[in-house]
Amino acid sequence: MNMRKTFSQKTRHGSISVAISAAVVCAVILVNVLVSALCSSKLFFIDLTTEPLYTLEEDTEFLLDKTLKEVDAKRDPKDPVQVDIIFCADPDLLCGSDQMRAVYYTALQIEKAFPKNVKVSTRDVLENPSSVDMYRTNAYTAIYPSYVIVASGTEFRVYTADAFYMYSTTNQTTPSIYSGERTFVKGIMAVTRVDAPICALTTNHGEPFATEEGRAEYSEFLRVIESAGYDVQTLDLAKEEIPENCRLIITFDPKKDFDVGVEGSPEIDKLNAFLNKSYAFMIFADADTPWMKNLEGYMEEWGVTFDRYNQKGNAYKVLDKTSALASEDGVNILAQYETEGVGGALTKDMREYSAPPKVVFGNALSISYSDIFEKQYVLADAEAGTGAYTYGASERNGRYRNIYDLFRTTDNAYAEVYNKGEQVKDDAGNALYVNDAPFKLMTLTEHVRVVSEGVGYTNATNYSYLCAVGSVDFASNESLASGAFGNADVLLGVLRTVGKEVVPVGLDFKVLYKSSIDAKYNSQKSAVVQTVILTATPAVAVSLVGSIVLIKRKYRK
């Protein structure tokens, strides 16, 4: 009888112990999940990184606070500006990535500091690629899980993971500087600005935009510029000053040259001063564009030469009967994509599409590198998967400019020679041709400026751009509005590439920890000690309390 009672008591006590243990385990799991959720949503953690990566700088908060308040001051108080920071992968993947973790936590810190204006969210673009369709530069743009989108209203910027880091000149694979806060501030300032950057269309050289009829004739061109985020304005460069917020000047189908003053060309001087501020200029010309001594002379300093008969005659008219809309005349050329270098990078998304869109250049002239630019040869790299290509380069008095091809003809193209509108013929009365294919149809020149920023020993690169398009018909309503051609996508991509934004200054970069034994080694060691202390303290406290309880029970009377 006593044995049964004892067994029953043991069973009962054992059941209670199991229940208590299960309850404790469940409680621990629940508390762990709750604390993890709070740490993720409310950022309840201590930043023990050496840099520190997960702590927002005071200057960052100041610039964002100033920017958001300025924007909100011009809005309805009940409708503050909203900024979405969208990551294209699940939080677990972001936190598990050494490169993306810091970026994700920086965004969360910004959201915590400005909850009224900033919202951070994640989307799985592999499972649901259509969730980010509205943020594609064009129909062919790919958005990968490592991308970060900063958006507000219809404005957005898409950044790759590398945009949040900087690399040394000797190591282009391992980042040495974290510039995430600067990138986020730049993006938020760009998408929330009250005044969009201005694209100025020159009008005093016979361009079509001075009249209502001309604007209607190229209405699709104006629409694409606006879609790229610009406020389109006209500009009489001879009489007016360039607007302060102007980031891009376009000269489209000019009929006469830039002006000539007693001591040079005031218009060229204005344009040169503008491009010295790291902005951009585009020119659209064709085989009927007259020779412009001043403008073309200035463009040669940027590597661009319009090929002409006897240098001063009409431009060569490029024909390609093997790749044109109508093979009989070869006038509307279906251009070939440049696949490497800067030109290849600009059209990469379009070229990787299952059926790359056709890009048409009508009544085209050919473009050559100017004599002051030396042709550079880049060899193929099988390991990196890149092919060989050429580009032009010029270095004068510390000024570095490189010119790259974007589109060209096939090797079967040729050019007819014209002089003052008349086709040039040889002594036998045969039309004179130029067989020097492939001909360049569109080029992009970069002016590279390296400046010291941040901590003083970090170099940042700024660019000015000059884009030359050898076809006015490239931007016609028929070419841009047609779903059969990729002209609109190319133009939009170029406009977004050369578009310059306000760059925040005064924000220090964060030098990433190096695994060498120096002053930073001791700092890293200190962080490890703090981590061990924070981890061990709860265990030691529980052990101490348990020991006290056991001792009291043992000696309890």
Side-chain angles (χ1 to χ4, degrees):
M1 190 71 178
N2 290 335
M3 291 179 62
R4 291 180 179 177
K5 183 177 181 180
T6 301
F7 179 77
S8 178
Q9 289 177 343
K10 288 182 177 181
T11 302
R12 184 168 65 252
H13 291 162
S15 299
I16 294 173
S17 298
V18 171
I20 293 174
S21 299
V24 170
V25 171
C26 290
V28 170
I29 293 175
L30 183 61
V31 169
N32 185 51
V33 172
L34 180 61
V35 171
S36 297
L38 287 174
C39 287
S40 297
S41 61
K42 303 299 182 181
L43 299 185
F44 290 159
F45 58 74
I46 299 175
D47 188 353
L48 296 179
T49 59
T50 305
E51 289 76 14
L53 287 179
Y54 306 142
T55 303
L56 216 57
E57 296 288 341
E58 291 183 3
D59 289 340
T60 298
E61 292 194 43
F62 172 78
L63 282 174
L64 287 177
D65 183 63
K66 183 174 181 291
T67 298
L68 295 172
K69 282 183 177 177
E70 287 180 354
V71 177
D72 283 341
K74 299 185 179 183
R75 298 171 62 97
D76 186 331
K78 297 180 180 179
D79 181 31
V81 65
Q82 295 296 313
V83 177
D84 292 314
I85 300 178
I86 302 168
F87 288 83
C88 300
D90 289 334
D92 290 344
L93 294 177
L94 297 172
C95 293
S97 167
D98 291 338
Q99 190 176 36
M100 293 303 299
R101 186 188 307 112
V103 181
Y104 183 53
Y105 277 117
T106 297
L108 292 176
Q109 291 282 13
I110 294 174
E111 180 186 41
K112 181 180 179 181
F114 304 96
K116 183 180 74 171
N117 301 103
V118 179
K119 179 183 178 183
V120 177
S121 61
T122 60
R123 302 180 187 180
D124 189 341
V125 297
L126 295 181
E127 183 176 335
N128 186 16
S130 62
S131 63
V132 292
D133 278 351
M134 66 183 72
Y135 304 117
R136 302 181 191 276
T137 301
N138 54 53
Y140 309 94
T141 300
I143 295 181
Y144 299 101
S146 59
Y147 285 12
V148 181
I149 302 168
V150 179
S152 181
T154 58
E155 282 294 310
F156 64 90
R157 299 294 183 271
V158 180
Y159 298 102
T160 65
D162 285 340
F164 298 88
Y165 293 88
M166 301 182 70
Y167 299 80
S168 68
T169 55
T170 57
N171 187 345
Q172 293 293 316
T173 58
T174 303
S176 58
I177 300 289
Y178 178 63
S179 57
E181 293 179 40
R182 182 177 183 271
T183 300
F184 276 123
V185 171
K186 171 183 163 184
I188 292 173
M189 292 174 69
V191 301
T192 60
R193 57 192 169 202
V194 178
D195 299 320
I198 293 172
C199 171
L201 305 175
T202 59
T203 58
N204 53 315
H205 314 101
E207 300 92 336
F209 304 111
T211 65
E212 185 175 343
E213 293 79 8
R215 291 190 292 272
E217 184 180 0
Y218 294 99
S219 58
E220 284 297 316
F221 180 62
L222 301 178
R223 183 191 64 78
V224 173
I225 298 175
E226 291 175 347
S227 298
Y230 291 94
D231 177 18
V232 181
Q233 297 184 12
T234 57
L235 173 67
D236 185 336
L237 199 55
K239 300 178 181 178
E240 301 173 349
E241 295 301 320
I242 300 172
E244 182 179 355
N245 198 32
C246 183
R247 299 291 181 269
L248 171 64
I249 295 177
I250 297 178
T251 295
F252 187 91
D253 194 17
K255 303 302 183 185
K256 63 179 182 178
D257 198 4
F258 279 35
D259 64 3
V260 179
V262 177
E263 299 180 357
S265 172
E267 289 185 282
I268 295 295
D269 293 341
K270 288 181 182 179
L271 180 60
N272 187 56
F274 174 77
L275 290 178
N276 281 336
K277 297 179 181 179
S278 297
Y279 298 150
F281 175 68
M282 290 185 71
I283 181 168
F284 292 76
D286 62 18
D288 296 326
T289 300
W291 178 56
M292 298 173 291
K293 176 182 177 182
N294 298 323
L295 180 56
E296 293 186 41
Y298 178 69
M299 288 168 53
E300 287 185 355
E301 298 178 15
W302 287 79
V304 176
T305 295
F306 290 157
D307 295 329
R308 297 182 178 280
Y309 176 69
N310 287 339
Q311 296 184 340
K312 299 181 181 180
N314 276 23
Y316 291 156
K317 185 174 183 178
V318 181
L319 305 172
D320 193 346
K321 294 184 178 181
T322 62
S323 181
L325 292 182
S327 59
E328 306 84 51
D329 55 32
V331 173
N332 293 305
I333 299 169
L334 298 177
Q336 308 299 302
Y337 288 89
E338 173 56 57
T339 59
E340 304 295 338
V342 171
L346 194 146
T347 60
K348 180 175 182 291
D349 292 326
M350 298 177 65
R351 289 186 291 102
E352 290 183 347
Y353 201 65
S354 56
K358 297 176 181 178
V359 180
V360 60
F361 287 74
N363 193 32
L365 59 78
S366 66
I367 301 171
S368 295
Y369 298 160
S370 63
D371 293 337
I372 63 174
F373 277 63
E374 295 184 5
K375 183 175 288 188
Q376 306 293 316
Y377 298 88
V378 179
L379 300 178
D381 187 339
E383 184 176 343
T386 58
Y389 69 97
T390 60
Y391 68 96
S394 172
E395 189 277 319
R396 289 190 172 187
N397 301 321
R399 183 191 69 189
Y400 298 91
R401 289 175 179 168
N402 300 321
I403 181 171
Y404 302 91
D405 300 346
L406 272 69
F407 289 92
R408 60 182 183 277
T409 67
T410 68
D411 293 338
N412 300 313
Y414 61 94
E416 295 180 341
V417 180
Y418 282 81
N419 183 29
K420 297 181 180 180
E422 296 293 330
Q423 190 170 20
V424 179
K425 299 181 180 180
D426 59 19
D427 295 338
N430 300 315
L432 191 61
Y433 296 93
V434 175
N435 296 305
D436 194 22
F439 297 98
K440 299 173 177 58
L441 301 176
M442 186 174 182
T443 61
L444 181 67
T445 306
E446 290 182 340
H447 182 147
V448 184
R449 295 180 179 85
V450 180
V451 296
S452 296
E453 292 190 1
V455 292
Y457 51 81
T458 301
N459 289 333
T461 305
N462 294 328
Y463 298 95
S464 298
Y465 295 96
L466 190 149
C467 181
V469 184
S471 170
V472 172
D473 288 346
F474 172 92
S476 67
N477 283 352
E478 293 77 10
S479 298
L480 296 180
S482 173
F485 306 128
N487 291 40
D489 293 303
V490 170
L491 180 59
L492 190 59
V494 171
L495 291 172
R496 289 194 180 279
T497 298
V498 304
K500 303 304 295 184
E501 301 167 351
V502 176
V503 178
V505 295
L507 295 182
D508 285 344
F509 301 121
K510 294 179 178 179
V511 182
L512 298 177
Y513 170 72
K514 302 294 182 184
S515 57
S516 57
I517 300 178
D518 52 17
K520 294 188 180 301
Y521 176 83
N522 295 325
S523 179
Q524 177 71 4
K525 182 178 179 181
S526 175
V528 172
V529 171
Q530 293 179 53
T531 303
V532 172
I533 291 175
L534 290 173
T535 305
T537 297
V540 172
V542 170
S543 299
L544 182 61
V545 171
S547 299
I548 293 173
V549 171
L550 288 174
I551 292 172
K552 283 188 175 182
R553 284 184 176 179
K554 183 176 181 179
Y555 293 101
R556 182 174 57 188
K557 294 181 179 179

